[in-house]
Amino acid sequence: MFSWLVPCKSRHVASIWSPNVTARKRRVLLLQHLLAVHMLAASCASSCVAATATQSHVLLAMLAFNPVPAASSTRTFSGAWVDNGEISTRSTRTDSMSDAQHLHRYSGDSEHNTINGVGNSSGIGSAIVYPELERVLQGAARATEEDLWHPKHYSTNLPDPALVLFCYSRPEYLASTLESLAHVDQIGSLSIYIAQDGNNPRVRQVVEAMGRKLFYWPRVRSFTHWMRDREPLLGKDQKGHAYVAQNYRFSLDRIFKKGHSHVIIVEDDMNFSLDFVRYFQATAPLLELDPSILAISSWNDHGLKYYTNDERRVFRTSYFPGLGWMMSSKLWAEIGSQFPLENWDHWLRQSVVNKGRDTVVCELNRNYNTGRTGANMRAAQYDLQIKPMDHSEGNVMDFGNLDYVLLAHFEAKVEQLIKDAVHVTLDLGTNSGQGHAPAGKRKPEVSDVVKEVALQHAGGIVLITYKIEQYNELSKLFGVVSFPRAHFKHIAILNVADATFLLADVRECPFLPTDLRIFPSPALVLLRADRGMDCKATCETARMWCDATQFPFINKCEVMQQHFPCERGCDLVEGPDVPNYVDGVGLPTYQQCLVTDKRPKCDGSHQETFRLCPCIARE
């Protein structure tokens, strides 16, 4: 009955150590075999009991210490070479490693339901013969869970990791970035790739000189530099962000084809905390444990100096931050063929692309951006948004148990925070500088209004709700950017002094109680405007009126795709006629559906687009 589980069958034992079996699956199979041994003992004669008892001790030892038959894994590195424009500097070595060094400690498998830590795909979990067996397996499961997050496993959490540094024409920034990167702990565990866009000779000289000086074996596993032909795939007038996206697509595809399990992505204007790599090692299991996690990032959009952030804590954000992040080969296999030729980060933030998955982020940044100017950065913007950012100057060795950031646990935490919070109403005005928000230029600081509220609720939790059209004023009070970032399903958690603030969008946050929510009007009718026509005229033609307060419910790619073909997907842009579908053959956004992070208006139009309009019937 249980022959497929019985450990004494050598072919089943051998299957556990198959190279096609993941470490996580292997651990579950060991638990299943342990269960089978004890069930077999119940039906065996006394002569069989001794044998099964011996087998159970062996299996328990495997679970506790994970001894694995040594399997030599040989990595051979040749000297400097050039192949298809790829310059690689490596040293020769042979590295023999046992499979045990690659094991991850997982306590479950997505293909199994679990009872007391035992895979139950066969339905046998409830047929435990001995009461003590249940205690043994429960203890094994608890040990497995605690063991998973132990720092001793950090180095094996990334089986074959790489880091790619993108650069173009800023040799001074690049030199600083490479110098910082060379001093990061655990940098030797990575294969380093320098993806240069174009052939700037000064950039090439920096890479070659610093590669020889700082990135030789055994300091890193390998160091590779290539120069991509800077061909404008969208035409000679394409913008800087398009070149960036095209270099990303070319280089990431090239790197993952080499078989790497994970790639850490950085750019040429970053400095790094000492534990930058260790942070990714510690959080890597989350990508396998939780399918609702898209990626890991070392950048917190709210990681400002005037907030209280814990250097060991992480959280989830539904707004992909980029700026020093890690993706798995599994994600690239999913999105690589669709990767866009421009605005790659806007594209990845679209729900139709990320499928509602979140990014795990550290509270305290693990990198610091030094580039005041760049393809997507202006000096004034840098001084306001990036310069005030904080970053870790320590070196965390143990990030602790990260179960709290798994989806169910994190959602429960947010729900509890809201229940425990005091709802405070701020006068946010209407984007006019009136109300509590300070008039004039935005400042990188927390306002006196927020400081006063924090003092009044020291040690407590404050819930502040807002409409998206009020967020510009709210952001001035908290010293953050003017569009919501670093939020989890439209609720952001900010720690000011001894108070915790929750900023929640009344239209979008699903955790708010019903009496605080705003839902689409029951009278809302979505109409497609004629080409070149604005929404005001479109609604009036249908004897209705355009209600701009309903735009947030329809300014979404998934809604646009229900009304237009959107053959080339969606893009995030600015414009008075957004959201729309582009029908102009000569436009770079032809056949795309466009959405915006600005406030759409009823009277905007463009001669080559079709708008989607929120109309309300007149009473």
Side-chain angles (χ1 to χ4, degrees), residues 191 238 408 530 607 617:
S191 297
Q238 74 175 26
D530 291 336
Q607 61 184 1

Side-chain angles (χ1 to χ4, degrees), residues 127-148:
I128 294 175
V129 178
Y130 301 125
E132 61 269 22
L133 174 59
E134 183 173 2
R135 291 193 295 273
V136 169
L137 295 180
Q138 283 179 334
R142 282 194 300 273
T144 298
E145 181 178 339
E146 294 169 0
D147 197 45
L148 168 64

Side-chain angles (χ1 to χ4, degrees), residues 442-464:
R442 183 182 305 275
K443 297 180 181 180
E445 62 185 20
V446 173
S447 68
D448 291 339
V449 172
V450 172
K451 291 178 182 177
E452 182 179 345
V453 174
L455 185 61
Q456 293 172 354
H457 299 277
I461 305 169
V462 177
L463 172 64
I464 296 175

Side-chain angles (χ1 to χ4, degrees), residues 297-304 307 309 314-323 349 357-365 385 389 405 410 413-414 417 466 468 471 474-475 478-495 500-505 509 511 597:
S297 176
S298 63
W299 181 262
N300 174 8
D301 282 310
H302 288 166
L304 296 148
Y307 291 126
N309 292 309
V314 301
F315 67 99
R316 300 174 73 108
T317 174
S318 304
Y319 186 91
F320 172 73
L323 289 175
R349 289 172 185 139
R357 288 169 290 186
D358 302 315
T359 301
V360 170
V361 177
C362 45
E363 283 193 10
L364 191 60
N365 294 325
Q385 299 178 5
M389 285 290 178
V405 83
F410 201 77
K413 172 192 172 183
V414 171
L417 285 172
Y466 65 89
I468 190 61
Y471 192 81
L474 182 64
S475 66
F478 283 88
V480 295
V481 297
S482 59
F483 181 78
R485 298 190 178 197
H487 62 78
F488 172 62
K489 297 184 179 179
H490 301 277
I491 184 168
I493 304 172
L494 299 173
N495 298 308
T500 297
F501 285 83
L502 311 177
L503 311 184
D505 187 325
C509 180
F511 304 109
D597 58 6

Side-chain angles (χ1 to χ4, degrees), residues 86 158-164 166 191 193 226 247-265 287 294-295 325-337 339 348:
E86 183 174 300
L158 297 175
D160 188 6
L163 180 145
V164 57
F166 290 95
S191 297
Y193 296 90
W226 61 64
N247 193 15
Y248 266 60
R249 177 169 179 159
F250 170 85
S251 300
L252 288 172
D253 191 57
R254 188 170 186 170
I255 292 169
F256 276 116
K257 282 181 178 178
K258 294 177 180 291
H260 292 292
S261 61
H262 301 77
V263 174
I264 300 170
I265 299 161
L287 293 174
L294 178 78
W325 61 288
M326 181 176 73
M327 69 187 307
S328 66
S329 58
K330 182 178 179 181
L331 178 59
W332 184 252
E334 175 189 334
I335 69 173
S337 62
F339 203 84
L348 195 53

